[in-house]
Amino acid sequence: MQTKKAPASPVKLRIVLDEEAFLGPGKADLLQGIAETGSIAAAGRRLGMSYKRAWLLAETLNGYFHEPLVTAATGGKAGGGATLTKLGQDVLVRYRRMVAASEAACAEDVAALNKLRGRKLRGKSAK
């Protein structure tokens, strides 16, 4: 039995830390996946991305801050794995809190826009 996917948020928040450092839903979802699975590869698979792409994003995130957000141990007998550091957990919590606040602040206007549309467009983009 398939479970229904939760509807996507109508608000997509992208935080611009500087001209080369961005934190958005994809990077936050990767951090969440690493926290939940203990693996960069598994977190990447959840998001439909290659291990190489997931590793690159984790390294990119680590470069944004004065300390790493993700630590990784190589495989072998111990099995390897990855975890969020205390800073990584803090960054993820703060991002999720900003998203929730943004959604709450926009909810009334998003509902009004949907009423103004009159109907939902399925699979078609409005031009």
Side-chain angles (χ1 to χ4, degrees), residues 3-94:
T3 58
K4 272 190 173 180
K5 256 187 167 179
S9 169
V11 177
K12 300 292 183 209
L13 184 63
R14 185 176 193 214
I15 304 300
V16 179
L17 301 168
D18 67 32
E19 62 274 353
E20 295 180 7
F22 309 96
L23 182 60
K27 289 176 181 156
D29 289 348
L30 180 66
L31 290 175
Q32 184 81 43
I34 292 168
E36 292 174 358
T37 66
S39 165
I40 293 171
R45 280 192 301 274
R46 275 185 170 187
L47 298 170
M49 68 177 67
S50 70
Y51 172 75
K52 184 177 180 179
R53 175 81 176 134
W55 183 264
L56 177 64
L57 285 177
E59 286 296 307
T60 298
L61 283 162
N62 282 346
Y64 288 170
F65 296 89
H66 67 299
E67 294 175 15
L69 305 187
V70 176
T71 57
T74 56
K77 289 183 182 181
T83 58
L84 294 190
T85 63
K86 187 173 182 331
L87 180 61
Q89 293 168 8
D90 188 34
V91 167
L92 181 58
V93 165
R94 289 177 185 276

